[in-house]
Amino acid sequence: MFVSRVLGAATGGYLEGKGGRLNNNALAKMQGMSISSLKHHYALTPLFIIMGAGVSMVCAFCIRSARKQTDVNWVKSKEVDYAVNHYRDKQYKLFNPSGKDCTTPSPVPDYKV
């Protein structure tokens, strides 16, 4: 009896129907989530622009980290030399704000057998 009451409360009652939580929390009804609402609340525009730029930069950095950094190896190579020595001449930094010389190779030890 108790389990059926809990499951019945989750599928009906306050969730669906007029005035229910699903109807009140629809994306179209939230302020700033439609074009007409965004025109009415003009102060939300910079928020969406800044948050959109931030999210896109985080996604781009995650993709770059997965593709370029040495922590992830996407190549299924049988040669040990590629996985160990491929990044010998590569820089690990995204950008160089200090202005130090980045033309020198990184100090990776020589693992050749």
Side-chain angles (χ1 to χ4, degrees):
M1 166 99 177
F2 179 72
V3 174
S4 64
R5 287 186 70 190
V6 170
L7 293 176
T11 59
Y14 69 94
L15 291 177
E16 288 99 12
K18 185 176 180 181
R21 291 177 74 83
L22 294 178
N23 195 17
N24 288 336
N25 294 334
L27 285 179
K29 290 190 174 188
M30 288 185 180
Q31 296 293 321
M33 296 302 283
S34 65
I35 299 298
S36 63
S37 173
L38 197 58
K39 287 180 183 176
H40 180 69
H41 297 283
Y42 192 70
L44 292 176
T45 305
L47 175 71
F48 278 95
I49 291 172
I50 291 170
M51 290 301 293
V55 167
S56 62
M57 288 179 69
V58 166
C59 289
F61 186 73
C62 288
I63 291 170
R64 183 202 178 273
S65 294
R67 295 188 71 229
K68 299 287 185 187
Q69 289 184 352
T70 59
D71 297 336
V72 179
N73 188 11
W74 294 92
V75 179
K76 297 277 187 181
S77 179
K78 300 283 185 192
E79 302 174 13
V80 179
D81 186 46
Y82 177 81
V84 174
N85 293 322
H86 178 71
Y87 295 101
R88 181 177 298 280
D89 299 332
K90 308 276 193 289
Q91 287 292 326
Y92 191 74
K93 296 180 181 179
L94 178 64
F95 60 94
N96 188 7
S98 64
K100 292 182 181 176
D101 184 24
C102 291
T103 57
T104 59
S106 59
V108 177
D110 190 13
Y111 291 114
K112 290 186 180 180
V113 181

